[in-house]
Amino acid sequence: MDNETNMDLEYSDDYAEPCPLMWYRDHEVTVQTYVYSLICALGLVGNVLVLLTYAFYKKAKSMTDVYLVNVALADLLFVVALPLIIHNERSRWSMGTWACKLLRGAYSMNVYTSTLLLACISGDRYIAIVQARRSLRTRSQAKAYSRIICLAIWFLAFVLSLPTVIYHQEKNQECITIFSEMETARLVKILIPSMQMVFGFLVPLMVMVFCYSWTMVTLLKAQNFQKHKAVRVVLAVFFVFVLCHLPYNVALLVYTSKLFVERSCGEEQVTLMTLSVSRTAAYLHCCLNPILYAFIGVKFRSHFCQILRDLRCLGKRYIYSGRSSQQTSDLYVSATKTVAEQNGINDNPSSFTL
Amino acid sequence: MSRISACVMVLTIVALGLLCTDAAAVSCCRKYTKGMIPMSLIKGYSIQTITRSCHINAVIFHTNGGKNICTDPSKGWVMESIRKLREKVQAINKKNSKA
């Protein structure tokens, strides 16, 4: 028996033991709880107010307005699901397989719809400002397509989220991916994060880089006292998108590239912790969207203030009967007019409102 | 705005507080033991596959010292050890059948 004990000690340095993957959660559960609570609260308030504003005060008349309503809906869907997702990440899963599928699917849907719609908004602004002359005649037609584009994006997000929904199951009170075949496991475990990186980040990012670059160039040429503010808006929108989503996608890329190879327990733990922290930053984007996109517009803010006054008075709400701007952001209306004038278009300003 | 936001925030924090409980431990082999494990130390084994939440296939040997050791199922000595464990079980099965 002594010999066996000695042999055990002799081998102890060389042993590879199972790696506890969730060790870090004990350390940061409190911090993340408060951050998530803040995200839920702000996301809930912000997106509900955006929807209220559009529902009662400001009709969605431009393509950007339609996109913004859909972004608010997507973010609201996620913010409602987030408390339940948090519950899963901190304790044994007690809600069964279908809740597991739906909640994982809700997160996936939000990533795709939110980022792709933001890319569409940048495209709409590009058309409105850079292609100001050419877009005048086709804008009324293009507006009719915005709802179709939104439906297409929701459908695409649903299709891209299907693998997540199909393969997530509750097992031993954990919400995990379960496969019947090893080859399927190998394929889908690469496919899900890859699709998320490509369609949830890279494609929207490239569209935004292209559209906002040209928008910036055009704005800087314009002789307009508001151009500096508009440029700052474009920069803020772009950099917040990158700051929120880039760290998570880089961590996801590292994690996915080393998925099926041997690596040390320490490396794996650091990667998982990085994923967890950067995912929190990505979550943050859904409560920043109302601020970045909706409340920047002057008219939108006046409608928003009116909501607050009405809520305070508990009075009856009035449908806004005044003329609505074609653009959510008045900055872009001014820029568009200036660009149009420079291009020799002499139509009166009312041609910009449809 | 501040009142609405404050109310929603408080309710959210309370709800989350109620939801938080202890985290479940999840462990996976991420690396294989390089050397062989003497048969005399092995008490039993488990199987890890990539069809669940772990990402490499492994055989986990349970040893007399209470350790769980990750090994590569493609190694010959690993399959040989499992075969010997099976022989032990069959021997016990025979003894119980005779009793």
Side-chain angles (χ1 to χ4, degrees):
Chain A
M1 200 60 190
D2 283 348
N3 280 342
E4 288 188 351
T5 305
N6 288 336
M7 294 172 78
D8 196 333
L9 292 176
E10 181 182 349
Y11 281 85
S12 61
D13 289 342
D14 193 35
Y15 290 158
E17 295 189 73
C19 179
L21 300 179
M22 302 306 169
W23 64 275
Y24 61 87
R25 282 182 178 172
D26 296 330
H27 299 279
E28 65 176 81
V29 58
T30 303
V31 175
Q32 268 201 352
T33 299
Y34 286 113
V35 174
Y36 280 177
S37 303
L38 203 69
I39 291 172
C40 286
L42 293 178
L44 198 59
V45 172
N47 289 294
V48 165
L49 286 172
V50 168
L51 292 176
L52 281 180
T53 302
Y54 276 111
F56 295 109
Y57 296 88
K58 184 184 195 307
K59 298 307 176 187
K61 295 195 173 182
S62 72
M63 294 182 73
T64 294
D65 288 334
V66 176
Y67 296 142
L68 279 175
V69 169
N70 282 267
V71 171
L73 279 172
D75 287 343
L76 198 57
L77 163 73
F78 172 66
V79 155
V80 168
L82 187 53
L84 301 177
I85 293 172
I86 293 168
H87 174 73
N88 170 51
E89 289 183 1
R90 273 163 181 66
S91 68
R92 299 193 152 273
W93 188 263
S94 57
M95 299 178 204
T97 287
W98 276 106
C100 169
K101 290 177 182 291
L102 290 177
L103 290 174
R104 290 295 182 215
Y107 171 68
S108 189
M109 289 277 295
N110 170 264
V111 169
Y112 291 120
T113 52
S114 185
T115 55
L116 289 171
L117 286 166
L118 296 183
C120 288
I121 289 173
S122 73
D124 183 55
R125 287 176 172 170
Y126 167 85
I127 291 172
I129 292 173
V130 180
Q131 304 288 335
R133 171 198 281 269
R134 205 179 309 169
S135 70
L136 278 179
R137 297 180 180 179
T138 57
R139 256 189 100 65
S140 58
Q141 295 168 350
K143 192 175 72 176
Y145 292 123
S146 59
R147 285 178 179 78
I148 296 176
I149 291 172
C150 287
L151 280 178
I153 284 178
W154 279 96
F155 181 74
L156 177 64
F158 176 73
V159 170
L160 293 170
S161 299
L162 274 179
T164 296
V165 172
I166 289 171
Y167 290 107
H168 270 87
Q169 287 180 49
E170 179 268 331
K171 201 76 176 182
N172 299 325
Q173 294 196 302
E174 285 181 81
C175 177
I176 57 174
T177 48
I178 296 180
F179 306 91
S180 51
E181 303 288 338
M182 283 190 196
E183 287 317 306
T184 305
R186 211 174 287 273
L187 175 68
V188 175
K189 281 186 176 182
I190 295 288
L191 191 66
I192 288 179
S194 297
M195 287 194 304
Q196 187 171 311
M197 286 184 275
V198 171
F199 292 101
F201 180 67
L202 280 181
V203 167
L205 181 69
M206 288 190 292
V207 171
M208 289 171 94
V209 165
F210 175 83
C211 293
Y212 281 139
S213 295
W214 277 108
T215 302
M216 290 267 297
V217 169
T218 306
L219 286 174
L220 288 172
K221 288 177 182 174
Q223 303 304 319
N224 186 314
F225 77 97
Q226 286 200 99
K227 73 174 183 178
H228 295 298
K229 188 176 176 185
V231 166
R232 284 201 303 272
V233 168
V234 169
L235 284 175
V237 159
F238 177 75
F239 279 110
V240 169
F241 178 83
V242 172
L243 281 176
C244 285
H245 291 284
L246 182 62
Y248 174 65
N249 279 276
V250 169
L252 191 60
L253 179 63
V254 170
Y255 175 75
T256 305
S257 66
K258 304 190 177 186
L259 205 55
F260 301 119
V261 301
E262 285 186 68
R263 55 199 307 237
S264 74
C265 185
E267 282 177 54
E268 181 78 353
Q269 286 176 335
V270 168
T271 300
L272 288 175
M273 181 166 66
T274 305
L275 263 179
S276 177
V277 171
S278 58
R279 189 185 292 112
T280 302
Y283 288 170
L284 197 61
H285 202 231
C286 69
C287 57
L288 293 176
N289 284 338
I291 298 168
L292 288 168
Y293 287 88
F295 299 136
I296 280 174
V298 172
K299 281 192 163 61
F300 200 95
R301 282 205 302 270
S302 68
H303 295 314
F304 170 72
C305 290
Q306 197 169 341
I307 287 186
L308 295 186
R309 285 193 295 268
D310 289 354
L311 287 174
R312 255 184 234 121
C313 295
L314 298 177
K316 195 169 186 179
R317 296 195 185 111
Y318 298 96
I319 303 299
Y320 183 67
S321 57
R323 198 190 73 179
S324 294
S325 169
Q326 167 178 320
Q327 300 286 333
T328 298
S329 172
D330 303 310
L331 303 175
Y332 292 100
V333 175
S334 302
T336 303
K337 290 177 183 176
T338 304
V339 171
E341 286 163 7
Q342 287 185 338
N343 290 336
I345 300 176
N346 294 320
D347 307 63
N348 64 71
S350 62
S351 67
F352 287 93
T353 59
L354 301 173
Chain B
M1 176 62 178
S2 59
R3 283 187 190 175
I4 300 170
S5 187
C7 288
V8 175
M9 201 170 300
V10 170
L11 289 175
T12 306
I13 292 173
V14 169
L16 289 176
L18 294 174
L19 290 172
C20 284
T21 52
D22 291 331
V26 178
S27 295
C28 294
C29 293
R30 212 54 185 98
K31 190 178 169 185
Y32 301 128
T33 298
K34 292 190 177 103
M36 289 178 60
I37 305 171
M39 190 62 212
S40 56
L41 298 184
I42 299 175
K43 283 173 48 180
Y45 71 98
S46 313
I47 296 172
Q48 169 184 302
T49 71
I50 64 173
T51 58
R52 295 291 175 92
S53 50
C54 301
H55 303 312
I56 62 173
N57 297 316
V59 169
I60 305 171
F61 285 122
H62 314 299
T63 67
N64 293 331
K67 287 179 183 289
N68 297 321
I69 302 175
C70 303
T71 64
D72 185 350
S74 69
K75 298 291 187 185
W77 72 266
V78 171
M79 301 309 293
E80 181 65 14
S81 299
I82 292 175
R83 190 184 64 77
K84 287 176 181 175
L85 286 172
R86 194 169 295 147
E87 285 176 348
K88 284 187 179 180
V89 174
Q90 286 167 351
I92 292 171
N93 176 259
K94 283 181 180 177
K95 286 186 179 180
N96 282 7
S97 298
K98 290 177 180 176

